[in-house]
């Protein structure tokens, strides 16, 4: 499944990184601790978090994350958006809580 | 090949720059993806430790045919008890750093889990040196 399919099926906002909407999604990871993501996320994962600063993009890029989804209506910072565009890794958003979104995403991917 | 990167304490804007450069380089050299991932985890965690805890530091990367050696030397407060610092969950990070999602006491254990050789030496009040070696031809830790 591609990022764009998930955007459509879950009604997500696309804040940035449109170039990467065709990236393939193979799984998901939920965490707001950056070293946890560094240590355990897999390439191709969607990363669900409420962190919005640009270091999220550094990690997403280093780990080859397919897209970042910011939950609970939080918005990414301007420098996060800039780096997302530069890396071509989409930053998506939802009003849903991480719990609700993770549940829907899990059903979609499995 | 030897490369050097300077790291400024507190500068989270550029945290991960060296890791990103090294990742690109290893990709160009067609190093196995699993090995690249291990290098990136180690280097990023060690780089962020300088940003989060030290005043400044230098990363030197020595790339040989079959190994990558990463040495991170900082001017900083040092680590009085390395054994304690290595424990999962132990952290001395500031509130601000923790709020960003760093400083959960997972960095050094992450390095330990991904490095083939990992050595920390430290002089409290002066600084810390972290040395990490990863074999490029083996995917097993």
């Amino acid at each position: 499944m591609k990022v764009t399919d998930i955007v459509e099926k879950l009604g997500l906002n696309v804040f940035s990184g449109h170039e990467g909407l065709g990236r393939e999604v193979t799984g998901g990871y939920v965490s707001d601790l950056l070293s946890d993501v560094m240590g355990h996320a897999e390439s191709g994962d969607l990363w669900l978090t409420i962190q919005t600063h640009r270091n999220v993009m550094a990690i997403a890029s280093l780990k080859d994350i397919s897209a970042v989804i910011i939950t609970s209506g939080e918005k990414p910072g301007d420098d996060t958006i800039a780096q997302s565009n530069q890396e071509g890794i989409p930053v998506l958003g939802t009003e849903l809580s991480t719990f609700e979104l993770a549940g829907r995403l899990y059903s979609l991917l499995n | 090949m030897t490369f050097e990167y300077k790291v400024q304490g507190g500068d989270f804007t550029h945290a991960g720059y060296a890791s990103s450069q090294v990742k690109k380089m290893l990709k160009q050299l067609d190093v196995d993806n699993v090995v690249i991932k291990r290098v990136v985890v180690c280097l990023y965690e060690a780089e962020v430790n300088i940003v989060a805890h030290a005043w400044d530091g230098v990363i030197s990367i020595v790339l040989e045919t079959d190994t990558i050696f990463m040495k991170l030397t900082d001017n900083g407060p040092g680590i009085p008890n390395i054994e304690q610092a290595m424990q999962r969950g132990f952290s001395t990070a500031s509130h601000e750093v923790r709020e960003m999602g760093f400083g959960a006491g997972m960095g050094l254990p992450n390095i330990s889990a991904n490095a083939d050789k990992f050595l920390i030496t430290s002089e409290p009040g002066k600084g810390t040196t972290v040395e990490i070696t990863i074999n490029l031809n083996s995917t097993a830790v």
Side-chain angles (χ1 to χ4, degrees), chain A residues 3 20 23-25 27-29 37-38 40-48 56-69 87-90, chain B residues 23:
Chain A
V3 174
R23 291 164 77 99
E24 200 64 38
V25 175
Y29 201 74
V37 177
M38 213 51 215
H40 300 112
E42 299 286 342
S43 60
D45 277 353
L46 287 172
W47 174 14
L48 278 60
V56 167
M57 293 318 300
I59 290 181
S61 164
L62 288 169
K63 295 292 288 183
D64 296 319
I65 297 286
S66 291
V68 175
I69 308 181
E87 305 274 358
I89 301 175
Chain B
K23 181 186 174 188

Side-chain angles (χ1 to χ4, degrees), chain B residues 33-51:
Chain B
N33 256 332
V34 175
V35 176
I36 296 179
K37 280 177 190 168
R38 288 173 44 213
V39 170
V40 162
V41 171
C42 290
L43 185 54
Y44 183 79
E45 294 290 5
E47 191 179 350
V48 165
N49 277 345
I50 298 180
V51 176

